[in-house]
Amino acid sequence: MKPIKVGLLGIGTVGSGTFNVLKRNQEEIKRRAGRGIEIAMVADLNVERARELTGGECDVVNDANLIINNPDIEIVIELIGGYGIAKDLVLKAIAAGKHVVTANKALLATHGTEIFKAAQDKGVMVAFEAAVAGGIPIIKALREGLTANQIQWVAGIINGTTNFILSEMRDKGLDFGTVLKEAQRLGYAEADPTFDIEGVDAAHKATILASIAFGVPVQFDKAHVEGITKLQAVDIKYAEQLGYRIKLLGITKRTPKGIELRVHPTLIPAKRLIANVEGAMNAVLVQGDAVGATLYYGKGAGSEPTASAVIADLVDITRLATADPGHRVPHLAFQPDAMSDTPILPMAEITTSYYLRMNVSDQPGVLADVTRILAEHSISIDAMLQKEPGEGETRADIIMLTHQTQEKNVQAAIAKIEGLPTVMGSITKIRLEELS
Ligand code: NDP
Ligand code: HSE
């Protein structure tokens, strides 16, 4: 059987990894796929560099439309990124009856509904294993391996750049800017690193995970997005003293009222495996009603780790290209006519525990005022740490960990406590998940 012909749009970090791994492992991949997989055309703005990377082994063009209009190409891999030209090209490829593989989480989290509908109507596949957690096959696991389960929640370290930054800052005492530059040099960070450090990239991925876990449409606009730029070193230190690590988590949970979908720095017990995921590594913890907790760990970014996921999709498509579209695994794990309209909850309605740090006057009655306000808002304290004032100082840091409560209760209590004359400045609030 002739090899299936593939067109690659964008031969940057992931594109070059895909080209190289496919070439290196072509015999083994062919034995698995049942057919050779050949990158026949590459489109990139930098044609010279693309020619160098491909060593004259395929056609190189600077106009991606030439690939989409080529009837011999059956699969298009989109590795350009962003929502502009990439969206246009993906929709054109689908309209031309080509299967699509993409690592573009930004595109799918924001325009997934339109893209999956177009693919469904045309009977083609859109595969996106590389879009979440790079080389970790978490899409496959959630969509197929855990298909027996009612998924209860998913919590993951799904941005390597921020995990790398948090790890390096804690371990080596390096400053934020230095570590960010290193993450960019290593190819982890997005073209615009604000997407990484402000939590947007993780929220794109969490949005996709929520859809597959619960069978709801992709709704990035409803996700709560909070990055690590406001995180202070002192909170990392106090968290450690209380037995916790701070990680940027993407969390999605099924609750009786709706679905929680949020990304924010989170305290997690230091003894959990996921708390010990360091550097640019990713990990995703999935809680299913039948299987219990399962943990997936590996490289979430980088040229060849991400290529590993891209090529897994190529193999899947090669195997299923001739199958009746109705017999393929649905894009979002649930049949398109069986999607749920369960709402994504506003942040005020979520339930979790909290780390609260406040700076107070070291005088009698202050703690009593604070705990009274917390009690009035149905917030119960789980643990407390008071830092003794230094020599000649009259103020002290108090750190409290709460039991689970609703976010709106905490917001109201914080507003009241900040109004006390004995409390200085604003209160630092970081959410806490036991993940048990
Ligand atoms: P790069 O910026 O390294 O590569 C993108 C490539 O696309 C560049 O070579 C660029 O050329 C080329 N390009 C830009 N516009 C066009 C166009 N109109 N036509 C053809 N080629 C074009 O990005 P990455 O490889 O890092 O990322 C690709 C995708 O993979 C993104 O969606 C990203 O979010 C995702 N991803 C990346 C991971 C990683 O570790 N890097 C991990 C997981 C997902 P030029 O450089 O000349 O502009
Ligand atoms: N910028 C992303 C990260 C790349 O740091 O995880 C992988 O999606």
Side-chain angles (χ1 to χ4, degrees):
M1 200 178 206
K2 277 192 183 161
I4 194 161
K5 287 199 188 299
V6 178
L8 172 60
L9 316 185
I11 188 159
T13 305
V14 184
S16 57
T18 301
F19 190 89
N20 292 336
V21 174
L22 199 52
K23 184 175 161 192
R24 190 168 75 230
N25 297 341
Q26 57 180 313
E27 278 314 312
E28 197 117 340
I29 290 168
K30 182 177 172 186
R31 282 169 58 211
R32 291 190 170 118
R35 191 175 170 188
I37 299 175
E38 178 193 335
I39 296 188
M41 283 183 90
V42 170
D44 200 281
L45 298 181
N46 190 337
V47 173
E48 214 167 291
R49 191 192 55 198
R51 285 214 177 95
E52 242 170 67
L53 288 168
T54 54
E57 288 178 30
C58 61
D59 276 355
V60 174
V61 292
N62 75 348
D63 179 2
N65 289 295
L66 295 173
I67 292 185
I68 287 162
N69 297 331
N70 181 342
D72 293 338
I73 301 288
E74 288 185 58
I75 308 174
V76 166
I77 313 177
E78 182 279 305
L79 294 174
I80 293 172
Y83 339 78
I85 184 79
K87 180 185 174 199
D88 194 38
L89 292 169
V90 163
L91 287 173
K92 277 188 187 163
I94 292 170
K98 300 185 193 306
H99 304 290
V100 172
V101 176
T102 180
N104 193 336
K105 54 266 169 164
L107 177 64
L108 294 180
T110 47
H111 300 290
T113 302
E114 182 185 352
I115 289 168
F116 294 129
K117 168 82 171 62
Q120 181 71 21
D121 292 349
K122 200 72 191 176
V124 296
M125 289 172 268
V126 174
F128 51 93
E129 183 63 69
V132 182
I136 305 175
I138 186 63
I139 303 292
K140 189 91 167 175
L142 263 178
R143 205 162 58 169
E144 299 180 48
L146 299 176
T147 199
N149 289 263
Q150 268 201 36
I151 304 297
Q152 291 158 330
W153 51 261
V154 181
I157 296 172
I158 44 180
N159 182 268
T161 302
T162 44
N163 203 49
F164 179 75
I165 292 173
L166 291 176
S167 302
E168 294 283 292
M169 284 174 71
R170 199 191 60 237
D171 290 351
K172 300 188 181 155
L174 294 172
D175 68 84
F176 183 87
T178 308
V179 189
L180 174 60
K181 278 201 194 98
E182 180 65 358
Q184 286 175 296
R185 193 187 65 77
L186 292 167
Y188 305 144
E190 294 300 305
D192 179 356
T194 47
F195 269 32
D196 293 300
I197 59 182
E198 296 296 357
V200 178
D201 176 72
H204 287 147
K205 294 166 181 166
T207 299
I208 296 170
L209 289 177
S211 285
I212 295 174
F214 307 122
V216 294
V218 281
Q219 298 163 76
F220 172 69
D221 55 330
K222 307 254 174 68
H224 172 82
V225 188
E226 207 179 308
I228 60 166
T229 48
K230 296 197 182 82
L231 199 58
Q232 293 184 34
V234 68
D235 294 310
I236 296 176
K237 191 180 77 186
Y238 288 158
E240 294 258 11
Q241 290 173 12
L242 287 157
Y244 291 84
R245 290 263 166 92
I246 300 182
K247 296 287 182 188
L248 185 73
L249 286 193
I251 299 169
T252 184
K253 272 189 198 176
R254 185 202 297 267
T255 80
K257 288 194 293 180
I259 289 165
E260 296 183 4
L261 175 54
R262 47 193 168 96
V263 169
H264 48 71
T266 313
L267 269 80
I268 45 182
K271 62 186 177 204
R272 299 265 179 274
L273 272 178
I274 194 168
N276 295 284
V277 171
E278 302 291 5
M281 302 305 277
N282 279 201
V284 185
L285 192 51
V286 182
Q287 179 78 23
D289 69 332
V291 72
T294 53
L295 179 67
Y296 307 83
Y297 169 84
K299 289 186 180 160
S303 182
E304 293 205 355
T306 312
S308 165
V310 170
I311 296 169
D313 281 343
L314 284 177
V315 171
D316 264 359
I317 292 180
T318 303
R319 288 178 181 141
L320 290 168
T322 53
D324 177 340
H327 294 153
R328 295 178 189 144
V329 183
H331 291 118
L332 292 174
F334 292 74
Q335 296 297 337
D337 60 358
M339 296 295 279
S340 156
D341 58 4
T342 310
I344 307 289
L345 292 174
M347 221 27 206
E349 298 297 325
I350 71 132
T351 302
T352 189
S353 306
Y354 293 84
Y355 161 105
L356 304 173
R357 172 172 59 83
M358 56 202 86
N359 189 253
V360 300
S361 304
D362 190 25
Q363 65 186 63
V366 174
L367 198 53
D369 286 342
V370 171
T371 52
R372 178 182 47 76
I373 293 172
L374 291 174
E376 283 167 6
H377 291 83
S378 313
I379 300 167
S380 156
I381 298 166
D382 180 38
M384 213 192 82
L385 185 68
Q386 176 166 357
K387 304 309 285 182
E388 289 304 314
E391 183 85 20
E393 286 177 10
T394 56
R395 313 197 64 81
D397 273 348
I398 292 182
I399 300 97
M400 288 175 172
L401 303 186
T402 77
H403 284 294
Q404 289 215 337
T405 184
Q406 277 204 311
E407 177 104 359
K408 63 183 168 202
N409 296 344
V410 173
Q411 287 169 355
I414 286 178
K416 275 257 174 80
I417 297 170
E418 284 178 345
L420 292 172
T422 47
V423 174
M424 177 86 167
S426 53
I427 295 178
T428 298
K429 173 191 81 187
I430 307 176
R431 297 171 192 91
L432 182 157
E433 295 282 341
E434 289 294 337
L435 300 180
S436 53

